[in-house]
Amino acid sequence: NEDQGIMFVQTMLPAGSTLEQTQEIQDQVRRHFLEDEKKAVASIFTVAGRGFSGAGQNVGLAFVKLKDWDLRPGSDLKVDALVKRAMAKFSQLRNARVFAFPPPAVLELGRAGGFDFQLQDRAGMGHEALMAARNQMLGLAAQDPRLIRVRPSGLEDVTQYRIDVDWEKAGALGVPISSIHHTIAAAFGGAYVNDFIQGGRVKRVYAQADAPYRMLPTDLERLYVRNAAGTMTPFTSFATGHWFQGAPLLERFNSFPALNIWGEPAPGKSSGEAMAAMEEIVSKLSKGVGYDWTGISYQERMAKAQTGILYAFSVIVIFLCLAALYESWTIPITILLALPLGVIGGVVASSLRGLPNDVYFQIGLLTVLGLTTKNAILIVQFAMAKVEEGMGLTEATLEGAKLRLRPIVMTSLAFGFGVLPLAMATGAGAGAQTAIGTGVLGGMVTATFLAIFFIPLFFVGVVQLFAKKKTAPAATPDSDAVSPPEGQ
């Protein structure tokens, strides 16, 4: 996740809340960022009545624009710090749930950082059972230390009024189906009638019942539908209605009824760990409930399957190149044994700074593998040359480690100081730079100082264990040889 200079705020009130109540919460959100966080916030734009998942009087959203990175020095003015303080402030609101969150790393692949989860009904359990499973999942996620800010992104169930039309009665009365639909649609929703010209401009005419006559279910009694005989039939003669709780928006994913859930990993945890935690929670739910990933989480899940192959391919390429260089299958093993020396430093450095195992850290580890191989080659190649000159294995190895110490330290220092600005980066793109620089810098430290001691040990041990002794066959006398004549 990067500090991209913007952040989002999602507001959700209980079902049935009015637009005025939502606007009041939005005003509190606006005051918090413009007054309490004026050092970091440049502007804010709030919307009441519409959220990321649809329109509703009880939802709202806000777009917060932060000041330039140069005007926000210090970690307390970064987006993560702003989100933490905002969540602490908004958690005190009793009549609304307000979530502040940064945008995703790739804006085109989602609307929130963290993970994008789809809870699916794969057994036809029904909407109520799916909502119960979602609430159970949210409760378990709130107790998981690997997850924070797990929240539904859809609209909550609201009270709705359903009109049940008795089609047999309507047919007996001669009322066409199309007339029933058009009448109720025009009265409560509006219908396009015609155009007219006023002041040189073409304007549209819409027909709709006046506001006082479309406010209550009893207003259906005022409607009449023209039947096939041309007479007007009361709407209540063939239709009834009842109240029920239901979803205001039909949500499906990959043909299954689904509910969208957003969340973020806890500090120091990666999005992959958070996704694994969500999968563990799903396994605890009732049978018939499935899940799927979407947006940037889907892309991450697809790319994660290639990580092991990438590392394995890198190690194999290093091994084959060394085997071709030394024309041996045993010497490259010494180099491969040195690879963990750099990995240890990268992992320790990133852990000390609280950085997760993200894609940038993995790129840095690949770089460390190559640099560790370089240090090992400097010692092993010199030791092999001394052995070919007739020097003993141990003496040649110690001599190579002493003479190659300065080149190893010099090249490592040069590369280490080169990536130091990445590890200390601030401003735009600092997240990626810090992740790469920290992993590479930590790997270089251990690949340099540990390699001086362990690479000679690995080389001597591997050669003594696997190298074959070349012994020349002893000369034997030829029995068929002619003996020299006497006197010679």
Side-chain angles (χ1 to χ4, degrees):
N1 290 326
E2 294 282 358
D3 184 346
Q4 303 183 52
I6 57 175
M7 60 182 296
F8 303 142
V9 181
Q10 182 182 18
T11 302
M12 293 178 289
L13 277 73
S17 301
T18 63
L19 190 63
E20 289 76 14
Q21 292 174 315
T22 304
Q23 185 61 53
E24 183 180 351
I25 297 298
Q26 294 293 79
D27 293 339
Q28 297 183 36
V29 172
R30 183 187 298 107
R31 286 194 298 268
H32 168 74
F33 285 105
L34 293 182
E35 297 176 6
D36 299 343
E37 301 291 352
K38 59 183 179 180
K39 292 183 179 180
V41 175
S43 61
I44 180 173
F45 176 74
T46 61
V47 179
R50 177 169 291 276
F52 285 110
S53 301
Q57 296 191 66
N58 62 324
V59 296
L61 54 88
F63 304 91
V64 183
K65 183 179 184 300
L66 306 181
K67 295 181 179 179
D68 191 80
W69 290 269
D70 295 336
L71 303 177
R72 295 186 285 123
S75 59
D76 60 326
L77 298 180
K78 303 304 180 185
V79 66
D80 291 336
L82 295 177
V83 168
K84 291 180 181 178
R85 291 197 293 269
M87 289 301 300
K89 175 78 173 183
F90 299 150
S91 62
Q92 301 175 7
L93 299 175
R94 295 184 178 182
N95 55 343
R97 290 182 297 168
V98 182
F99 297 93
F101 52 91
V106 184
L107 289 174
E108 291 78 8
L109 293 179
R111 290 167 291 188
F115 57 82
D116 202 340
F117 183 85
Q118 293 284 351
L119 186 68
Q120 297 176 316
D121 176 11
R122 297 186 176 180
M125 302 182 302
H127 179 72
E128 295 182 359
L130 184 60
M131 288 294 294
R134 188 207 69 172
N135 295 335
Q136 182 183 0
M137 165 174 277
L138 294 178
L140 294 175
Q143 303 174 4
D144 197 308
R146 295 169 292 181
L147 303 171
I148 58 173
R149 291 191 285 274
V150 180
R151 61 201 181 275
S153 68
L155 302 176
E156 295 290 340
D157 288 356
V158 296
T159 303
Q160 305 179 40
Y161 191 77
R162 179 182 178 87
I163 299 175
D164 300 315
V165 178
D166 191 333
W167 300 110
E168 294 182 357
K169 283 186 179 181
L173 295 173
V175 180
I177 297 177
S178 58
S179 298
I180 298 174
H181 290 165
H182 291 162
T183 299
I184 192 171
F188 288 88
Y192 169 73
V193 177
N194 205 339
D195 297 334
F196 74 99
I197 299 176
Q198 182 183 30
R201 300 183 62 181
V202 178
K203 298 184 178 180
R204 292 188 171 186
V205 179
Y206 287 89
Q208 186 182 46
D210 196 13
Y213 300 93
R214 52 182 171 88
M215 299 294 293
L216 300 174
T218 54
D219 292 332
L220 290 172
E221 301 175 359
R222 305 174 184 270
L223 298 182
Y224 288 82
V225 183
R226 190 179 301 277
N227 58 18
T231 60
M232 304 302 292
T233 304
F235 198 87
T236 54
S237 63
F238 54 82
T240 58
H242 66 276
W243 293 96
F244 75 102
Q245 285 286 121
L249 182 67
L250 178 61
E251 298 181 68
R252 304 184 75 87
F253 188 79
N254 286 344
S255 74
F256 293 104
L259 296 174
N260 191 209
I261 297 176
W262 292 345
E264 301 173 34
K269 303 294 183 180
S270 66
S271 57
E273 293 177 288
M275 293 168 65
M278 292 295 291
E279 293 174 354
E280 294 177 7
I281 293 176
V282 173
S283 63
K284 301 177 183 179
L285 303 180
S286 59
K287 295 182 179 179
V289 177
Y291 70 93
D292 210 339
W293 300 103
T294 184
I296 196 171
S297 298
Y298 173 77
Q299 300 294 333
E300 179 179 349
R301 181 62 69 202
M302 295 295 293
K304 184 178 181 180
Q306 304 174 2
T307 303
I309 300 176
L310 179 61
Y311 279 111
F313 180 75
S314 302
V315 173
I316 291 174
V317 169
I318 293 175
F319 182 84
L320 294 179
C321 290
L322 294 175
L325 176 64
Y326 296 114
E327 297 181 355
S328 171
W329 294 104
T330 57
I331 299 303
I333 297 179
T334 303
I335 311 298
L336 296 184
L337 291 176
L339 296 182
L341 301 178
V343 175
I344 292 174
V347 173
V348 171
S350 296
S351 300
L352 291 177
R353 298 193 66 178
L355 300 177
N357 178 20
D358 56 17
V359 62
Y360 296 108
F361 172 75
Q362 296 174 9
I363 294 174
L365 284 188
L366 289 177
T367 306
V368 170
L369 294 181
L371 296 173
T372 307
T373 302
K374 181 264 301 180
N375 291 342
I377 289 176
L378 289 177
I379 297 177
V380 171
Q381 188 172 7
F382 189 87
M384 289 183 59
K386 290 296 182 180
V387 170
E388 293 177 357
E389 294 177 2
M391 185 178 293
L393 177 61
T394 303
E395 293 76 8
T397 305
L398 294 176
E399 186 70 15
K402 293 178 182 179
L403 295 179
R404 292 301 182 184
L405 173 62
R406 186 170 63 177
I408 290 176
V409 173
M410 290 178 61
T411 55
S412 299
L413 286 177
F415 192 88
F417 283 114
V419 299
L420 184 60
L422 293 178
M424 302 174 61
T426 59
Q433 299 177 47
T434 302
I436 294 179
T438 302
V440 174
L441 185 61
M444 276 310 313
V445 172
T446 55
T448 300
F449 295 100
L450 294 182
I452 298 173
F453 301 99
F454 283 93
I455 291 177
L457 176 64
F458 294 154
F459 176 70
V460 173
V462 169
V463 171
Q464 291 180 348
L465 185 62
F466 295 102
K468 297 181 180 180
K469 297 181 180 180
K470 298 181 180 180
T471 55
T476 56
D478 190 356
S479 59
D480 297 334
V482 180
S483 56
E486 294 180 1
Q488 292 186 358

